[in-house]
Amino acid sequence: MTFKLFPKVIVFFIISLLFINCDKSEDGIPTDLEVENFIWGGLNAYYLWQSDVPDLADLRFSNQNQLNAYLEGFSSPENLFDNLLYTEQNGYGLNEKGYDRFSWIVDDYIALENSFQGITESNGMETTFL
């Protein structure tokens, strides 16, 4: 009876060893910089004007510690995002303030998705006073 159980125990032991060191902290990203790192990574990967923003260059930071030091210099994720936008006055798609008018950041993605779908938090009644 124990002979049949032995291979299962070995397989379980091997699989558990594979997952023992799966920890997010090994990436070198402090928990207080996860949002900032996400913003920088997203703009670095997908931003149309990435090549025009020096701080988004692929070779700008040689390791995660240098990137962390850069990200710590911003007071908020919104401040970081605004600093990484392409701001040349004659650039394509810029608004009157000189910023990229197609990129914005929100703190509540659920409310944003609901607004895209036409979902509001209204009961449909409007109050007016005569």
Side-chain angles (χ1 to χ4, degrees), residues 75-89:
S75 59
S76 69
E78 293 84 6
N79 190 2
L80 170 67
F81 182 81
D82 290 339
N83 190 50
L84 293 175
L85 291 181
Y86 178 58
T87 59
E88 189 172 325
Q89 292 297 327

Side-chain angles (χ1 to χ4, degrees), residues 37-107:
N37 190 66
F38 176 79
I39 291 170
W40 186 88
L43 289 173
N44 175 265
Y46 301 110
Y47 192 48
L48 178 65
W49 293 288
Q50 185 245 0
S51 61
D52 298 321
V53 180
D55 287 334
L56 290 175
D58 291 332
L59 300 176
R60 168 71 168 87
F61 305 103
S62 61
N63 58 36
Q64 185 65 41
N65 290 334
Q66 287 182 353
L67 176 60
N68 291 345
Y70 171 75
L71 297 176
E72 287 173 348
F74 295 95
S75 59
S76 69
E78 293 84 6
N79 190 2
L80 170 67
F81 182 81
D82 290 339
N83 190 50
L84 293 175
L85 291 181
Y86 178 58
T87 59
E88 189 172 325
Q89 292 297 327
N90 59 357
Y92 173 76
L94 302 180
N95 65 14
E96 63 277 355
K97 295 180 183 177
Y99 287 98
D100 166 18
R101 64 184 170 115
F102 298 110
S103 301
W104 69 91
I105 189 169
V106 295
D107 58 350

